[in-house]
Amino acid sequence: MKQNNSRRNFVKTAVGTGLAAPWIGWKSTANEGNPSDHVRFVCFGANGRAWSNIKEMVAEVPNSKLVAVAEVDKNRTNHVSEHHPDAKVYQDWRELLDKEESNFDAAIVATPDHMHGPISMSTMQLGKHTYTEKPLTRTLHECRALQD
């Protein structure tokens, strides 16, 4: 039996295999739901832009739950306390990370610009999904400091 090793034959076989593969022997997860029942998230900041991000997360991500916020000024946490009474409020972002590390999956960083880098890097080092308002850093010096 003669084999046809032409480039055209190879492309036909590769494309055909690629198109058929999802239906042959692979378990489809499309209809099985998400790996977890809900997305637990924290937010650094609780008012202004941070509050807008919290509302969008809850509205757009099914089964999302606010676990905690870090806000220096407790007077700015009224929306969170009213709409998410189970969410814990911390004044120090480092304390939130220490105490809630195993209780959340994702983080939103919506603090003043000079805190974006340190908080974002800390959450990412914990292996958490992190959304950060731009800019991540304000200067090259801040960017280099995060690399150390």
Side-chain angles (χ1 to χ4, degrees), residues 70-87:
E71 175 60 62
V72 174
D73 185 357
K74 287 216 176 197
N75 294 325
R76 297 174 56 90
T77 62
N78 57 342
H79 294 301
V80 172
S81 300
E82 182 182 330
H83 295 282
H84 302 278
D86 295 336

Side-chain angles (χ1 to χ4, degrees), residues 5-60:
N5 291 330
S6 71
R7 184 179 304 161
R8 181 175 294 172
N9 191 40
F10 171 77
V11 171
K12 282 183 196 176
T13 304
V15 170
T17 303
L19 291 174
W23 290 278
I24 300 173
W26 288 0
K27 183 178 177 184
S28 173
T29 57
N31 296 323
E32 293 180 13
N34 295 326
S36 65
D37 294 336
H38 55 275
V39 176
R40 303 165 303 163
F41 72 99
V42 297
C43 188
F44 297 92
N47 202 359
R49 185 70 185 133
W51 177 243
S52 296
N53 287 332
I54 291 169
K55 289 190 309 186
E56 286 294 316
M57 181 74 166
V58 172
E60 298 295 326

Side-chain angles (χ1 to χ4, degrees), residues 127-138:
K128 307 298 182 177
H129 300 280
T130 304
Y131 168 77
T132 305
E133 290 286 300
K134 62 184 179 187
L136 178 60
T137 61
R138 298 174 307 136

